[in-house]
Amino acid sequence: MRKSSVGNEGLSELEASKTRVAQEAVKLVKDDMIVGLGSGSTANIFIAELGKRIIDEELNIFGIPTSFESRMLAIQYEIPLVSLDQCDEIDIAIDGADEVDKKTLALIKGGGGCHTQEKIIDYYAKEFVVIVDENKVVDNLGEKMPVPLEVVPFAYSTVLNELLKRNSAPSIRMASKKMGPIITDNGNMIIDVFIDIKDPEETEKELNNIPGVVENGVFTKVDKVLVGNPKKVKTLKNKNKK
């Protein structure tokens, strides 16, 4: 059963920022669109707001989720879903980020461990829009967050060795409440690594060239970023995009 959308009253500044930017992003969605549904706390609010708008305005909109969590939320908020192999194109993808480089709009994503599916859907969309609170915007990518790598379990040791050769500090992401590593929706492991990212596009390519790496959490094909604070939303546009 659908729950009511989130209001801004009584929220912390952080939650108010996330809610405001999610509500602004919903305005970008038009009737008859197929929408990539991102993952994470801000994307979750977007999904709730989109579900409300679809029902209130009787819109013909379909969602394509980037994770099991976003799929379950879409079902909860009564958003009709399609799979990737059922659609010729995705009109727009709305997703969050762990960090945004304010100069290049490159991202680090994957704090929730679903960056592979996110990247497939976000990059396939005709327009990829990122929604974040202002705390996620940084001067240099990698300031606060490690880059996650989704790794085939068979190759975890060779990937670790390769990363150590690059003067980085890799670590397998472990579950907090049970023994063993976190496993992605695709059945793989995650290795987090702090690295110096001078050229995000080159870093994205280099990490994906390590045998055993399925996908990494550096995202460079971003059209625009909506940055929210409790009072307003600012739009950052990729200067290399029309």
Side-chain angles (χ1 to χ4, degrees):
M1 180 179 294
R2 175 172 63 89
K3 296 181 179 180
S4 60
S5 64
V6 181
N8 293 2
E9 299 81 7
L11 298 177
S12 67
E13 286 193 1
L14 177 59
E15 289 302 317
S17 299
K18 293 180 178 183
T19 300
R20 185 173 293 277
V21 75
Q23 291 170 337
E24 189 69 23
V26 168
K27 299 175 184 178
L28 301 175
V29 180
K30 309 300 181 184
D31 198 18
D32 293 324
M33 276 189 168
I34 294 178
V35 183
L37 305 176
S39 303
S41 58
T42 308
N44 290 350
I45 300 172
F46 166 78
I47 292 171
E49 293 290 338
L50 179 62
K52 179 178 185 298
R53 185 171 171 226
I54 288 173
I55 291 176
D56 289 349
E57 300 180 27
E58 298 183 348
L59 300 179
N60 181 44
I61 289 170
F62 288 86
I64 179 165
T66 59
S67 66
F68 182 80
E69 179 185 27
S70 60
R71 173 182 169 78
M72 292 298 99
L73 280 170
I75 292 172
Q76 177 182 341
Y77 291 105
E78 301 179 27
I79 300 174
L81 296 178
V82 293
S83 62
L84 192 60
D85 56 1
Q86 289 178 304
C87 57
D88 295 327
E89 61 184 13
I90 300 170
D91 295 290
I92 190 171
I94 310 288
D95 209 342
D98 299 310
E99 274 190 0
V100 179
D101 185 317
K102 67 181 181 183
K103 301 184 296 297
T104 66
L105 301 192
L107 319 172
I108 289 179
K109 290 178 55 58
C114 47
H115 57 276
T116 297
Q117 292 177 204
E118 288 176 319
K119 188 174 283 190
I120 291 169
I121 291 171
D122 293 343
Y123 278 20
Y124 187 54
K126 289 192 290 185
E127 184 177 22
F128 174 25
V129 179
V130 176
I131 53 175
V132 294
D133 63 86
E134 60 186 359
N135 297 317
K136 300 291 182 66
V137 181
V138 298
D139 293 324
N140 298 291
L141 206 63
E143 281 184 4
K144 306 173 184 178
M145 298 295 298
V147 176
L149 310 180
E150 183 162 347
V151 176
V152 176
F154 170 77
Y156 84 90
S157 61
T158 58
V159 173
L160 284 172
N161 288 335
E162 181 60 34
L163 292 169
L164 287 169
K165 293 177 184 177
R166 300 176 184 224
N167 296 319
S168 61
S171 61
I172 297 172
R173 190 181 297 182
M174 306 297 287
S176 59
K177 294 183 179 180
K178 64 178 183 179
M179 298 295 290
I182 286 177
I183 302 300
T184 71
D185 288 351
N186 305 311
N188 297 314
M189 299 168 66
I190 296 176
I191 294 177
D192 292 311
V193 58
F194 280 99
I195 51 176
D196 184 16
I197 304 176
K198 295 180 180 178
D199 184 335
E201 289 188 358
E202 190 62 28
T203 298
E204 183 179 18
K205 293 175 184 177
E206 286 182 357
L207 292 174
N208 278 351
N209 280 335
I210 299 174
V213 173
V214 178
E215 188 55 77
N216 73 83
V218 178
F219 285 54
T220 58
K221 298 179 181 180
V222 179
D223 292 293
K224 61 185 175 183
V225 178
L226 303 185
V227 182
N229 66 38
K231 296 182 179 180
K232 64 180 181 179
V233 174
K234 179 170 66 173
T235 300
L236 305 177
K237 294 184 178 181
N238 191 327
K239 297 177 182 179
N240 296 321
K241 297 278 187 177
K242 293 183 181 181

